[in-house]
Amino acid sequence: MKQFGVLDLLLLTFSIGYICGLIALGQNTTMGADLMRWIVKPFSPLAELWVYAPLMTAVTTGILGYILNESPKLAPRLFLRMYLVAILTGMGMTACLRGIEIDPVPIVGMLLAGSLLFLPLWILHQRIVGNKITSAHLSVVLAAAFTGVGPFVYLMPDLYMRS
């Protein structure tokens, strides 16, 4: 079992700070809503499936998490795990903010759009530590990107009600 080092702790702190910064930026600006409007255009045919998005996201995140834990070739996994955490956080925040009647689009839109940066960072981190990028790595990135579509679809009704 590999020891958790100082660099891993710094990356984790950076990742958590980045997610918190995205949430704060979405709360204080309209960037999240603007990004959401731009990202929703290609996915608008999926708007009718928004009810199924939480289930799809939970299932694909679970499958992807299992694959991550079982495959030593996909290590280091920090950025990919933080991406999955951000996706699940976005799904949960949308439901919670709807429950307390706050518009989730600016905050969650910024969180989801910003979390997409974790995918190329994971590939870059793989290259930095000397791992060869294989088709399995690219498949995992595509599966993770597919998982990220769910929260965008779940947020669509809020964007359309606002317009």
Side-chain angles (χ1 to χ4, degrees):
M1 185 170 172
K2 188 177 175 185
Q3 193 72 10
F4 194 74
V6 173
L7 290 178
D8 294 326
L9 183 61
L10 286 173
L11 279 175
L12 181 62
T13 304
F14 160 74
S15 299
I16 292 170
Y18 178 69
I19 288 175
C20 292
L22 288 172
I23 292 170
L25 190 62
Q27 185 176 8
N28 295 319
T29 66
T30 61
M31 286 176 61
D34 296 340
L35 284 169
M36 189 64 194
R37 274 190 219 95
W38 180 71
I39 290 172
V40 157
K41 287 181 184 176
F43 301 114
S44 60
L46 299 174
E48 295 176 7
L49 303 175
W50 73 273
V51 176
Y52 305 108
L55 178 64
M56 189 251 343
T57 301
V59 168
T60 55
T61 299
I63 291 169
L64 200 54
Y66 178 78
I67 290 169
L68 272 177
N69 287 334
E70 296 299 318
S71 177
K73 294 181 180 181
L74 297 177
R77 304 170 180 93
L78 176 70
F79 287 121
L80 200 50
R81 285 184 177 157
M82 289 306 294
Y83 171 76
L84 293 176
V85 165
I87 292 300
L88 289 176
T89 301
M91 188 68 74
M93 282 180 69
T94 301
C96 290
L97 291 174
R98 279 181 185 160
I100 58 175
E101 297 182 2
I102 294 177
D103 182 21
V105 174
I107 298 170
V108 179
M110 191 70 216
L111 173 66
L112 295 174
S115 69
L116 292 173
L117 185 60
F118 281 121
L119 296 177
L121 280 175
W122 180 64
I123 292 290
L124 180 65
H125 195 208
Q126 292 284 339
R127 298 288 286 168
I128 288 172
V129 297
N131 293 345
K132 183 180 174 189
I133 305 300
T134 64
S135 59
H137 290 89
L138 298 177
S139 298
V140 167
V141 168
L142 286 175
F146 173 75
T147 302
V149 172
F152 285 112
V153 172
Y154 190 56
L155 199 55
M156 280 183 197
D158 297 291
L159 185 67
Y160 290 133
M161 284 189 285
R162 221 172 145 214
S163 300

